[in-house]
Amino acid sequence: MTIQQVLLLLLLWMWLPHPCHTEMLFRRTPDLRPRSFGGRALGNDGKAIHRQKRGWMWNQFFLLEEYTGSDYQYVGKLHSDQDKGDGSLKYILSGDGAGTLFIIDEKTGDIHATRRIDREEKAFYTLRAQAINRRTLRPVEPESEFVIKIHDINDNEPTFPEEVYTASVPEMSVVGTSVVQVTATDADDPSYGNSARIIYSILQGQPYFSVEPETGIIRTALPNMNRENREQYQVVIQAKDMGGQMGGLSGTTTVNITLTDVNDNPPRFPQSTIHLRVPESSPVGTAIGSVKATDADTGKNAEVEYRIIDGDGTDMFDIVTQKDTQEGIITVRKPLDYETRRLYTLKVEAENTHVDPRFYYLGPFKDTIIVKISVEDVDEPPVFSRSSYLFEVHEDIELGTIIGTVMARDPDSASSPIRFSLDRHTDLDRIFNIHSGNGSIYTSKPLDREISQWHNLSVIAAEINNPKDTTRVPVYVRILDVNDNAPQFAVFYDTFVCENARAGQLIQTISAVDKDDPLGGQKFFFSLAAVNPNFTVQDNEDNTARILTRRNGFSRHEISTYLLPVVISDNDYPIQSSTGTLTIRVCACDSRGNMQSCSAEALLLPAGLSTGALVAILLCIIILLVIVVLFAALKRQRKKEPLILSKEDIRDNIVSYNDEGGGEEDTQAFDIGTLRNPAAIEDKKLRRDIIPETLFVPRRTPSAPDNTDVRDFINQRLKEHDTDPSAPPYDSLATYAYEGNDSIAESLSSLESGTTEGDQNYDYLREWGPRFNKLAEMYGGGESDKDAS
């Protein structure tokens, strides 16, 4: 019988249900601590006899997990040597699961498990047992602890932590290359039997991969697996316990394995030759086409670099690698000409940029293609012989002189005639013109370098047969200098000479400027136009000169200003010269030569007054005049107090003084006699704001009798003025003078009253109420005083 058969029989025997005859026996052990059990026995000599504590002998209880019987599973038996079998003892169980999972027969001490136990949930249980006297309830044995250990059976299959694993391995790997390791776990007891001993095997994925039985490491099993042929593999791994023997439990997992790319494929062009076409008018940098080599690899292993390695158009075309599309873009490198060459041939190479040295044996990782490029004819615009022109001309040339010629041709085979013209936006003053047939540029206006030294023109060339196709070329005209400008004083000189000047004294340094720009630089010469007895010129030979006096003393009384002509000439050809006149004033100076006064009138003033004192006196006079003028203006603008302050105050003294005093005694405010006196208006005054067209002689009106009513008088005057064409449009006499007839208090004015105060009775004022008491008191009191006197 082999070992495997023995183990199988043992396993089958363990699975069979059978009672467990385990018994715990008590034994007597000396009790170091005195213990009383509720009774005391006396000996023959009368002394108390103490009973010693007894203990029990016990072993571990073992219980198989996953019991499938219908009855409670028997665990074992507790028994004390004090048990006489008469039922006087009672067994008590406590601890893990006591009373629920484990129960004990109080009389016999038999222990049973009430339900099925899983070792994977708990491997052992710790309990405590005790025997007590049923009548006295006192322990006859001390409490003792014991363990129930659960025996394992193979009831758990191996499990993997992941249902699906993902792994990768480079393609073309050698046999035995590690891919990934998978590990399964078994919840059974690894220390008891082979329930937790796992063996790995491969169920799916052969012959490409294998697995190590003990470690679960998956390895490649075939050489040179090519990703381009197959990229994905699915491998199923089984983990089986019981050492992989029959009857063992198993679990599986899936491993998805991807072959990663390596650079084991060279780039390949799909064809050996391609044809491209390009118009001859394509500018430099124009893309005319592309080539692309395919590579079975991916990522950086498929990156390709293109270059032109041979051909007759290597200097006319370029190729650029487009990284995102892995294409080679062919571009124009130099201008093309159909009339010069119509066909080019290029040899383009494509090569991998990342080559793996391990795969050199597979051949060169490059490929070539022939590219033929045909140039197509187009109607091209004219072409100038130069990209720009520069002409130099002197500024004194005659009108119509040709300064230069531009040349252009039609590059097409038809060779159409060319017409030239000037872009007038570059020659707004129309100084130049061009011959439309031969391109000769000539002057149409005089040139002046001092106005403009450069002229930037743009010449347009167009085919006569196709005027829309034009070409422009810049023409730069530089105007050369001719000595046509005479030198002049650099600035205006304000020159003076002191009255106490001595002979040979420097009074001014002069310089000159010239608009011309000779090649050798400016050089000026200074001299006097004629001999002068008072001043002389000394040339410093550095384009400056000094003005010196020739005699001692000058007098403002005699001559206050001298005019000194100075001749300035240059050294260019032809020599140009000009005469500038210096105005030299004679001034009074102090001992240091500082100018004080150059006016001859200053000699008439007292010698003791300085310029500052004269200015102060003048300011004082001006201030006094301003004060006098202001005072006169204020006095003239002083206005008289108006007779009437508002439309409602058509009264005499009350309006003027705005108080209750005065009354009829105040006749200064308004004189009624003026209204009735025709002499007061004899002198008619004309309007001052306009100029009258016709002057009329004032008409005299008869005087009104004394008994005429004021209202009638005013109406009469108003009518006369309305009909008088010589009267001004405004008249104060016509705007007021009658207060109306509607006042319930009647009139208080003295216009209609008698000539004496005795005729007036003011007692009625008291009947008007308290508001007129003051007025009645004033006039009433006056009469009382008069009567008393």
PDB file of all heavy atoms in Angstrom, residues 12 84 116 142 167 217 254 265 363 435 600 788:
ATOM      1  N   LEU A  12     -10.731   9.569   4.621  1.00  0.00           N
ATOM      2  CA  LEU A  12     -12.097   9.031   4.606  1.00  0.00           C
ATOM      3  C   LEU A  12     -12.555   8.674   6.006  1.00  0.00           C
ATOM      4  O   LEU A  12     -13.707   8.921   6.386  1.00  0.00           O
ATOM      5  CB  LEU A  12     -12.183   7.800   3.688  1.00  0.00           C
ATOM      6  CG  LEU A  12     -11.985   8.087   2.178  1.00  0.00           C
ATOM      7  CD1 LEU A  12     -11.953   6.779   1.390  1.00  0.00           C
ATOM      8  CD2 LEU A  12     -13.107   8.985   1.665  1.00  0.00           C
ATOM      9  N   LYS A  84     -19.779   9.578  43.221  1.00  0.00           N
ATOM     10  CA  LYS A  84     -20.074   8.214  43.626  1.00  0.00           C
ATOM     11  C   LYS A  84     -21.145   7.608  42.752  1.00  0.00           C
ATOM     12  O   LYS A  84     -21.538   6.436  42.966  1.00  0.00           O
ATOM     13  CB  LYS A  84     -20.537   8.187  45.087  1.00  0.00           C
ATOM     14  CG  LYS A  84     -19.526   8.809  46.059  1.00  0.00           C
ATOM     15  CD  LYS A  84     -18.198   8.062  46.014  1.00  0.00           C
ATOM     16  CE  LYS A  84     -17.207   8.629  47.042  1.00  0.00           C
ATOM     17  NZ  LYS A  84     -15.917   7.940  46.991  1.00  0.00           N
ATOM     18  N   ARG A 116     -22.907  22.804  14.023  1.00  0.00           N
ATOM     19  CA  ARG A 116     -21.703  22.528  13.249  1.00  0.00           C
ATOM     20  C   ARG A 116     -20.692  23.666  13.451  1.00  0.00           C
ATOM     21  O   ARG A 116     -21.048  24.832  13.470  1.00  0.00           O
ATOM     22  CB  ARG A 116     -22.057  22.397  11.774  1.00  0.00           C
ATOM     23  CG  ARG A 116     -20.919  21.819  10.932  1.00  0.00           C
ATOM     24  CD  ARG A 116     -21.413  21.438   9.569  1.00  0.00           C
ATOM     25  NE  ARG A 116     -21.772  22.604   8.773  1.00  0.00           N
ATOM     26  CZ  ARG A 116     -22.204  22.546   7.528  1.00  0.00           C
ATOM     27  NH1 ARG A 116     -22.374  21.377   6.946  1.00  0.00           N
ATOM     28  NH2 ARG A 116     -22.494  23.650   6.856  1.00  0.00           N
ATOM     29  N   PRO A 142     -11.939  22.343  42.819  1.00  0.00           N
ATOM     30  CA  PRO A 142     -11.701  23.709  42.319  1.00  0.00           C
ATOM     31  C   PRO A 142     -11.949  23.800  40.808  1.00  0.00           C
ATOM     32  O   PRO A 142     -11.838  22.800  40.101  1.00  0.00           O
ATOM     33  CB  PRO A 142     -10.230  23.960  42.640  1.00  0.00           C
ATOM     34  CG  PRO A 142      -9.624  22.593  42.701  1.00  0.00           C
ATOM     35  CD  PRO A 142     -10.689  21.665  43.258  1.00  0.00           C
ATOM     36  N   ALA A 167      -1.033  41.179 -17.465  1.00  0.00           N
ATOM     37  CA  ALA A 167       0.428  41.154 -17.486  1.00  0.00           C
ATOM     38  C   ALA A 167       0.895  41.382 -18.916  1.00  0.00           C
ATOM     39  O   ALA A 167       0.104  41.344 -19.872  1.00  0.00           O
ATOM     40  CB  ALA A 167       0.953  39.835 -16.946  1.00  0.00           C
ATOM     41  N   ILE A 217       4.670  31.064 -10.778  1.00  0.00           N
ATOM     42  CA  ILE A 217       5.285  32.009 -11.723  1.00  0.00           C
ATOM     43  C   ILE A 217       4.992  31.533 -13.134  1.00  0.00           C
ATOM     44  O   ILE A 217       5.288  30.380 -13.490  1.00  0.00           O
ATOM     45  CB  ILE A 217       6.801  32.115 -11.491  1.00  0.00           C
ATOM     46  CG1 ILE A 217       7.086  32.666 -10.090  1.00  0.00           C
ATOM     47  CG2 ILE A 217       7.438  33.011 -12.548  1.00  0.00           C
ATOM     48  CD1 ILE A 217       8.553  32.728  -9.744  1.00  0.00           C
ATOM     49  N   THR A 254      -7.827  33.949 -14.252  1.00  0.00           N
ATOM     50  CA  THR A 254      -7.501  34.230 -15.651  1.00  0.00           C
ATOM     51  C   THR A 254      -6.423  35.305 -15.703  1.00  0.00           C
ATOM     52  O   THR A 254      -6.512  36.325 -15.015  1.00  0.00           O
ATOM     53  CB  THR A 254      -8.740  34.696 -16.423  1.00  0.00           C
ATOM     54  OG1 THR A 254      -9.738  33.669 -16.351  1.00  0.00           O
ATOM     55  CG2 THR A 254      -8.407  34.978 -17.876  1.00  0.00           C
ATOM     56  N   ASN A 265      10.933  45.205 -36.772  1.00  0.00           N
ATOM     57  CA  ASN A 265      10.477  45.322 -38.154  1.00  0.00           C
ATOM     58  C   ASN A 265      11.032  46.601 -38.762  1.00  0.00           C
ATOM     59  O   ASN A 265      10.894  47.684 -38.176  1.00  0.00           O
ATOM     60  CB  ASN A 265       8.947  45.367 -38.217  1.00  0.00           C
ATOM     61  CG  ASN A 265       8.321  44.051 -37.777  1.00  0.00           C
ATOM     62  OD1 ASN A 265       8.279  43.079 -38.501  1.00  0.00           O
ATOM     63  ND2 ASN A 265       7.841  44.034 -36.530  1.00  0.00           N
ATOM     64  N   GLY A 363      18.168  42.334 -40.420  1.00  0.00           N
ATOM     65  CA  GLY A 363      18.431  43.103 -41.635  1.00  0.00           C
ATOM     66  C   GLY A 363      18.481  44.594 -41.361  1.00  0.00           C
ATOM     67  O   GLY A 363      18.205  45.058 -40.247  1.00  0.00           O
ATOM     68  N   HIS A 435      10.864 105.434 -69.159  1.00  0.00           N
ATOM     69  CA  HIS A 435      10.490 105.069 -70.520  1.00  0.00           C
ATOM     70  C   HIS A 435       9.819 103.703 -70.474  1.00  0.00           C
ATOM     71  O   HIS A 435      10.391 102.726 -69.972  1.00  0.00           O
ATOM     72  CB  HIS A 435      11.723 105.045 -71.431  1.00  0.00           C
ATOM     73  CG  HIS A 435      11.393 104.978 -72.881  1.00  0.00           C
ATOM     74  ND1 HIS A 435      10.990 103.823 -73.495  1.00  0.00           N
ATOM     75  CD2 HIS A 435      11.407 105.948 -73.858  1.00  0.00           C
ATOM     76  CE1 HIS A 435      10.766 104.034 -74.769  1.00  0.00           C
ATOM     77  NE2 HIS A 435      11.006 105.342 -75.018  1.00  0.00           N
ATOM     78  N   ALA A 600      20.624 155.658 -26.237  1.00  0.00           N
ATOM     79  CA  ALA A 600      21.183 157.009 -26.175  1.00  0.00           C
ATOM     80  C   ALA A 600      20.354 157.908 -25.289  1.00  0.00           C
ATOM     81  O   ALA A 600      20.860 158.869 -24.712  1.00  0.00           O
ATOM     82  CB  ALA A 600      21.274 157.594 -27.587  1.00  0.00           C
ATOM     83  N   ALA A 788     -53.677 172.529  20.787  1.00  0.00           N
ATOM     84  CA  ALA A 788     -53.214 172.926  22.136  1.00  0.00           C
ATOM     85  C   ALA A 788     -52.359 174.163  22.070  1.00  0.00           C
ATOM     86  O   ALA A 788     -52.342 174.983  22.969  1.00  0.00           O
ATOM     87  CB  ALA A 788     -52.467 171.779  22.794  1.00  0.00           C
TER      88      ALA A 788
END
